[in-house]
Structure formats: C-alpha cells, structure tokens
C-alpha cells in the first residue's frame, strides 16, 4: 500500500471454514502445509507483508485452538456451518472494526501463494477511479470447464458479474478468467452484503454476487489478472504437490537471483522463512526447515537437513543435521553424520565425524573426536555441557551433563566424563585394560568343542 493511512484503511477477511474432504485427511485443508507453513498462514503472511494489520480468519469452531505461526495478533471468527462465502464474509466482518471507510480484501485460505505484487496491483487499480467498488483477482481458466467466468461490462476494463460455469457460453462477453479473491470498498460491502440472495440450487450465499449488485448500483467493477500458478487452489493431494513444486521453484529463483550458488537447484528445498545471504554455496540434496539463517561465505554440503539454525561463514556436511537453537560461528566445521541441537559452536571449532552435540557450548578452536556424544537427557530433564576453548575431546567419549570441560583440557578417547575437568588437565575415565597372554587360543578351543 502506498502510505500509512492507506494501510490503516485496508482490512482482510480470509475464508478458511471449509473441511476439504477431497484431500481425504483428518487435517482441515487450510492446515496442510506448503514450504512448512499452513496454507492459511501463507495468506496471512502475504497480507501482513503488504502492510495489512486488520486481519480476520474465519474457521470452523472445532478449530478454536488455531494460532497463526506468523501473526499472534490476528483475529479469528468461527462459523459453525458453512452456508456460502457471503455468510462467511459476514462472520469475518463482525470481528473487524466498524467503519464505512477503506477497503476489504476477501481472500481464500486454500489459495495460499497469492503474491504481494498481486495485492498491491489490485489496490492500485482500485485507487485509479473513484467509482470503482470492486476489484476481482482473476486468472486464466480457459482450460477448466467447471470454473466460473467474468462477464464484461460496457466500460473498457470493467465487468458486470461473475457467472457460474454452467451459465456461460462461447460469447465474447465472457472472459476466460476465474475469481481468486476480491477487493471491495467497505461502504459498498456494508450496504450490499445483506442484499445477496441464496443460490436457488445450493441455497448458499456467494460473495461473488457483490460484483453484480455493485454493477447494478452504478459502480465500476474491475479485475486484475495474476498467474495461474500463484492463484491455484488446493482440493486434492496432487494439487497440494503442485503448489509445493511451484513454491520451491519460486524460492530457488529468489536465492539464485540474490547471489546464492545452488549446485543442483532442483534438489534443494526451502521453508517459507529461509534466509540466505549472498555468496553462500548449497550443494545437492539439502533440506531447510523453519527459522534458518545462512550467512555470507557458508557452505552447506550434500544431504544436510537444517532447521532452526544460524550458520555463519562455516562448513556444514555432508550428511549433517542441525536442529533448532544451534548457532555455528565463523570457521567452524560440522562434518558427516554429525547432529547438533540447541548448541553454540564457536569459531574454528571442529566436529568432523559421527557425533551428537546437544544443549552444549563448544568453545573456540576445540576439536570433538569421532563418536563423541553429549548425554544431555537423563529421562527427566535436559542438562548443559560446557566445553571451553582449545579443548581436545578424544573419539568415542561420552560427556554426561551437566558437566564443564575447561579451556585447554584433553579428554582421552573412550572416556565417560561425569565430573568437571579443570583447565589444561588430561582426563581419562575408562576401565583398566587387562591383556591375558594366550587367552584367545583357550577361548577359541573351548568354543570349538
């Protein structure tokens, strides 16, 4: 939107009360995910990014525990029995501020990838003529026989109604465009919403009828055409997969354009909130979960899974897993088959092979040997392991938290460390080795009898 006053004058009602039975799922359609984010939250996310503060989501009341992952302050309205999109909008309006000023977006929770640009363009189009009352967000539906179409009005660039597919014909009066959202002037919506009559066939009240009513009242109704990909809805698992594919392609283009090297882009998968700075290299078959930030100069090796981590100019992988709460500082190395969870790995520290580091701090220039694990959970609570600077931990060591290994100390391979280790100390905690000469021969002879 173009100014703060404009932003304050625009609200959004997101329709999300349907169940989506064709997905064959106990999870409501709008709670299925693309890029790690529920479909309905994608719409909330986009509306928020263009500056819309007053947002209401209309849901079935059995989902009263819904909490948006991207906005904690959105409003929620509940509609017990869906009786058409017109009545769903009524439920939403009851939660919005009461005014005749401004505009209301009507968006669909199962059309998740509507872009910021489309919303901005709709609003700009609405501002060009004071007589405009409705802007329809539309996409080309010429290859779909079951979708309604827009009917041209006399004035260039305007429409008179949205027509059900069965009521259309091959006349040039019908545009091959289908409705995917609406922007409605608030005073017009308030005045005409109650005049929408139920469909004679379905007995439901459809918000799309606002176009016909506004046209008959002398207002102009316009349309903005977005792309088919961004405005596709979800009714089946196949359509959900198609949206995920489109979303991932969009994210790959975004990061390539930003200066990120994706060695095999089609094999890398992103979350909706992935942040990657320029001059990062991502090798094939990497999956980024939520809340990931990758800083300039980092390298993410093949077959890594990263979620909830902050990675500075360091080397990760191959076959590494970084879990939420992990920060990897400049020059550190997280190697193959290493898992790090809720831990701070300081500069130039190395964890190269086959290790688990959880709820820990690993100090600058420390080296963690292969097979080392931090035993952070005792079956009741998590405890912290503190490893200082320039510590050497030998292979196959178990560090039983809570425990502190201070600067410069060395831990002998195969140790089970249960007590703090002082600075520059050598700690060995393992059973004493006993060598019994020729005992192996006697053992084998006994087994062969």
């Amino acid at each position: 939107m173009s100014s703060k006053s404009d932003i304050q004058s625009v609200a959004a009602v997101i329709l999300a009360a349907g169940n989506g039975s064709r997905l064959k799922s106990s999870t409501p359609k709008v709670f299925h995910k693309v890029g790690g984010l529920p479909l309905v939250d994608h719409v909330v996310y986009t509306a928020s990014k263009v500056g819309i503060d007053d947002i209401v989501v209309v849901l079935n009341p059995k989902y009263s525990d819904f909490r948006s992952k991207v906005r904690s302050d959105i409003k929620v309205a509940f509609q017990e029995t869906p009786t058409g999109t017109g009545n769903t909008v009524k439920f939403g309006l009851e939660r919005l501020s009461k005014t005749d000023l401004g505009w209301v977006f009507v968006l669909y929770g199962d059309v998740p990838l509507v872009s910021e640009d489309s919303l901005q363009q709709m609003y700009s189009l609405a501002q060009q003529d004071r007589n405009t009352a409705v802007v329809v967000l539309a996409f080309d539906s010429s290859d779909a026989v079951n979708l309604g179409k827009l009917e041209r009005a006399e004035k260039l660039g305007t429409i008179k109604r949205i027509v059900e597919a069965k009521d259309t014909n091959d006349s040039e009066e019908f545009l091959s465009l289908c409705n995917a959202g609406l922007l409605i002037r608030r005073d017009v919506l308030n005045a005409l919403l109650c005049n929408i009559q139920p469909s004679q066939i379905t007995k439901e009240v459809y918000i799309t009828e606002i176009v016909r009513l506004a046209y008959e009242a002398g207002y102009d109704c316009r349309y903005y055409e977005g792309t088919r990909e961004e405005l596709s809805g979800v009714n089946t698992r196949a359509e959900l997969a198609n949206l995920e594919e489109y979303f991932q392609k969009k994210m790959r283009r975004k990061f390539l354009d930003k200066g990120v090297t994706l060695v095999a882009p089609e094999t890398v998968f992103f979350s909706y909130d992935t942040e990657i700075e320029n001059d990062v290299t991502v090798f094939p078959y990497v999956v980024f979960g939520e809340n990931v930030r990758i800083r300039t100069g980092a390298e993410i090796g093949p077959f890594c899974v990263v979620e909830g981590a902050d990675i500075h100019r360091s080397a990760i992988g191959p076959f590494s897993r970084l879990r939420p709460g992990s920060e990897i500082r400049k020059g550190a190395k997280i190697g193959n088959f290493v898992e790090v969870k809720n831990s701070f790995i300081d500069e130039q520290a190395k964890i190269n092979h086959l290790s688990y580091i959880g709820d820990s701090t690993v100090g600058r220039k420390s080296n963690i040997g292969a097979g080392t694990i931090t035993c952070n959970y005792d079956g009741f609570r998590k405890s912290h392991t503190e490893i200082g600077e320039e510590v050497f931990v030998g292979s196959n060591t178990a560090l039983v938290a809570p425990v502190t290994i201070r600067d410069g100390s060395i831990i002998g391979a195969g140790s089970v460390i249960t007590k703090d280790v002082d600075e520059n100390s050598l700690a060995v905690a393992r059973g004493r080795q006993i060598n019994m000469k020729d005992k192996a021969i006697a053992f084998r002879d006994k087994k062969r009898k």
Side-chain angles (χ1 to χ4, degrees), residues 322-392:
L322 301 185
R323 292 171 58 194
S326 297
E327 182 174 359
I328 316 300
R329 300 292 289 186
K330 179 180 177 181
K333 170 66 173 139
I334 307 298
N336 50 285
F337 303 105
V338 172
E339 179 178 347
V340 179
K341 189 271 291 186
N342 192 33
S343 295
F344 177 82
I345 313 301
D346 209 345
E347 295 183 3
Q348 301 180 63
K350 291 179 172 56
I351 313 169
N352 281 323
H353 325 282
L354 302 160
S355 295
Y356 169 69
I357 304 297
D359 300 295
S360 302
T361 297
V362 178
R364 182 174 174 274
K365 290 188 176 181
S366 287
N367 187 93
I368 308 300
T372 295
I373 61 171
T374 56
C375 306
N376 57 320
Y377 184 54
D378 62 5
F380 296 92
R381 62 185 65 83
K382 301 287 180 69
S383 297
H384 188 76
T385 297
E386 185 77 22
I387 299 172
E389 296 185 359
E390 298 188 55
V391 170
F392 181 87

Side-chain angles (χ1 to χ4, degrees), residues 269-299:
F269 293 85
F270 301 95
S271 178
Y272 71 98
D273 62 348
T274 304
E275 295 182 28
I276 306 180
E277 296 177 357
N278 68 309
D279 284 333
V280 168
T281 300
V282 182
F283 287 88
Y285 300 102
V286 173
V287 177
F288 294 108
E290 292 180 58
N291 193 29
V292 170
R293 183 177 184 185
I294 314 293
R295 319 278 186 128
T296 295
E299 286 193 359

Side-chain angles (χ1 to χ4, degrees), residues 9 59 70 104 111 113 204 210 252 298 345 356 371 423 447:
S9 68
L59 293 164
V70 295
V104 176
V111 182
L113 301 186
E204 293 189 346
I210 202 77
R252 291 163 192 153
I345 313 301
Y356 169 69
E423 187 174 339
K447 292 295 182 181

Side-chain angles (χ1 to χ4, degrees), residues 426-442:
L426 171 61
V428 181
R430 55 184 180 233
R432 181 179 178 183
Q433 181 174 326
I434 301 174
N435 295 341
M436 293 177 280
K437 186 174 177 60
D438 296 331
K439 189 67 176 178
I441 298 173

